[in-house]
Amino acid sequence: MNKEHDQFMTANRSQKEEHTLAESIDILFLRFLVGKNKIANEESYNDGLSESELDEQCTPGAADGWNKRILLDVEKQRVKRVEADKAIKEKRNAVLMHLFQKTLLTAIQNRLSHHDEVITHQLQLRESTLELLKKLLSSEPRYSILASLLELNISTRNHLISLVCSSDFMESLGRDARNVRDIQAAIGLIGIDVLRYLIPAIIFKYTISNNGLHNVLFTKKLWRYELTLGQACTALMKESDYRRPHEGMLLSAMVNFAYVAAYKQYQISFETVRVACLDQARDKGEKEQHDFFFDLQTDPATLQQLLVSQAKLALSLSLSETLFSKDFPHLVNALREQVECVEFTEMSSVGKILFKALRFAKYDQLRTVRLFKAEWLDDYLQASHISSDTYKNLVRQELFRFKTNWS
């Protein structure tokens, strides 16, 4: 794998007019995120076994060599027929796969154009959830108000109560675990300051991973990236004395709205399109097509093509504008600056934070799996406007794990 990525980065460096180092890292990160499974090539035919069987069946004699040549020629012809049939099948399957992918991507594109449905169903951001985020992040809510909002968000409520019962989590707060059932009691035990970081993380984690029947590895990678990005935003906000550093997780979620929405719609549309293709093949009596679609499973190549073509930052911006332009206009503006490729020196303070955090979060994911080479680091940090001290501070904090203490 490392050799493959060495070749990939070398090719990109030899074409500097096409890709900067940062752009090449973006491409490499997307390949890592989707995951390119390598399946060993199965042997098409074990002719060594056949030759062994022929040797055992032949008896020594004058005609032995002649019989072997006849049988060997017959076997070679059979192998050629098998290989020809296999090539025809592979070509037919490639055509079917191309048509399936095209139909699937078109279906997903159509669904993603309905932003209201995307917000409600794919992102699962209903009015009660949005109100909870707004009250928590932009005001000083009373325990009773926060508790009433959490009662409308049952999943988040239950996860909070479970955390209060967790010895490991409560120990990180310097407190003892408690077996409670009342959400207001749980709020008091955790504290508003921690909840401002914790509740957004819970909401967006289970938006990504909930009911993930396909590509489980992708959802794990995406959530790790989103958590790292959100906490990198928070760390950089703290470093610059930004007054509401707890907004970091929301900003990260806004960046990844397109990835999450596209992936969720991919799960839905994949089965819908596959079943439609099965029905069509059955109606036409096309057994080979029917068998192909019956065995078809989700694949990284289709998901990567989807993320490249549909899950663009502009979609995240559009969704964020619909959701948060009134309550968090500065976060929406920071995202817009990334979409419009505003010069770093011209960005707002939050825009600069997001610019740095995006690049650090991608680096951190690639570093973990040893896909980011040490010789790239200095140039990458310079292009990302990340100082040496800031870099060391971000790495030291292990931002891929949730932090309960930001003091």
Side-chain angles (χ1 to χ4, degrees), residues 328-376:
F328 303 98
H330 50 297
L331 302 185
V332 174
N333 181 63
L335 183 54
R336 184 182 299 108
E337 289 172 341
Q338 313 307 313
V339 173
E340 296 177 354
C341 299
V342 175
E343 288 292 330
F344 181 82
T345 55
E346 302 297 321
M347 288 182 182
S348 63
S349 59
V350 181
K352 291 177 180 178
I353 287 169
L354 180 56
F355 181 90
K356 295 177 183 180
L358 277 167
R359 282 148 185 78
F360 174 80
K362 291 176 181 178
Y363 154 77
D364 196 57
Q365 311 312 301
L366 297 175
R367 175 183 67 90
T368 302
V369 291
R370 300 181 180 180
L371 295 179
F372 195 102
K373 301 301 181 183
E375 57 265 28
W376 305 338

Side-chain angles (χ1 to χ4, degrees), residues 36-93:
K36 203 169 184 181
N37 298 331
K38 291 187 176 181
I39 302 173
N41 293 325
E42 296 181 358
E43 294 181 7
S44 58
Y45 184 73
N46 188 0
D47 54 358
L49 177 63
S50 299
E51 288 179 2
S52 176
E53 291 176 350
L54 287 172
D55 288 341
E56 294 170 358
Q57 293 170 359
C58 291
T59 57
D64 183 53
W66 179 82
N67 286 333
K68 283 188 176 182
R69 285 194 296 272
I70 294 296
L71 291 173
L72 186 58
D73 289 341
V74 171
E75 185 59 31
K76 285 182 176 179
Q77 291 174 8
R78 193 184 71 81
V79 169
K80 287 181 180 180
R81 288 196 300 271
V82 170
E83 291 178 347
D85 291 343
K86 182 180 178 182
I88 292 172
K89 181 179 179 181
E90 289 178 348
K91 185 176 181 180
R92 180 181 63 248
N93 289 350

